[in-house]
Amino acid sequence: MIQIPKIVLTGGVQGGKSTSLRAIAKQFGKLVTRVPEVATILLGNGFPEPGKDVEWSEEWQAAFQTAVLPLQIAMEDAYTLVALARGSKLIACDRGLLDGAAFTPGGQEEFCRRYGIVLSVAMARYVAVLHLESIST
């Protein structure tokens, strides 16, 4: 499959990722294809939510990441097909494959070990990762 460069916008809650991606899409139209945030898709469509359906626990986090990771890959692959059909020059992802590491006890090293991710392979999926920081008031 022909590859189109992918970037990731990552960062904390309310950091401006989705807002920035909407602005990019508005500015560049079909030249940029957006991949929505997989975690939001899952949580908005029946995956049990901590604080609402269950209490957060390491077990919940592990179950959640087990759902997120294959869907993230599938969504990026599917949106690559969309981008090819549209003639897009860039794919912009609302979070990426390694984002779950920020929510996993033990961080990136434990995240990759636990889910069988090779860091260099995961990083090679993207030409850039932009980290947006949440603004605290």
Side-chain angles (χ1 to χ4, degrees):
M1 178 187 319
I2 297 172
Q3 291 301 311
I4 296 174
K6 281 191 295 266
I7 64 167
V8 172
L9 270 66
T10 188
V13 175
Q14 301 294 313
K17 299 174 296 296
S18 298
T19 301
S20 296
L21 286 169
R22 281 191 297 276
I24 289 168
K26 184 177 180 182
Q27 179 70 32
F28 296 102
K30 71 176 189 168
L31 291 175
V32 177
T33 294
R34 291 187 301 155
V35 178
E37 184 182 13
V38 169
T40 298
I41 292 169
L42 287 171
L43 292 171
N45 289 285
F47 199 93
E49 291 186 55
K52 179 180 173 189
D53 304 308
V54 296
E55 292 300 317
W56 184 92
S57 65
E58 288 188 28
E59 292 81 10
W60 178 87
Q61 187 66 40
F64 188 60
Q65 289 307 319
T66 299
V68 167
L69 291 169
L71 184 54
Q72 182 72 41
I73 292 167
M75 291 286 283
E76 289 179 17
D77 291 348
Y79 275 90
T80 296
L81 297 173
V82 171
L84 287 168
R86 289 181 179 167
S88 296
K89 302 299 182 194
L90 181 72
I91 298 168
C93 303
D94 191 338
R95 296 197 182 272
L97 194 61
L98 296 172
D99 271 62
F103 305 99
T104 300
Q108 190 176 71
E109 185 176 320
E110 175 60 19
F111 179 81
C112 290
R113 185 198 65 73
R114 184 178 293 180
Y115 300 106
I117 295 171
V118 176
L119 183 61
S120 61
V121 172
M123 292 296 289
R125 294 179 65 82
Y126 312 107
V127 296
V129 177
L130 307 171
H131 184 268
L132 304 179
E133 290 192 29
S134 301
I135 298 174
S136 48
T137 56

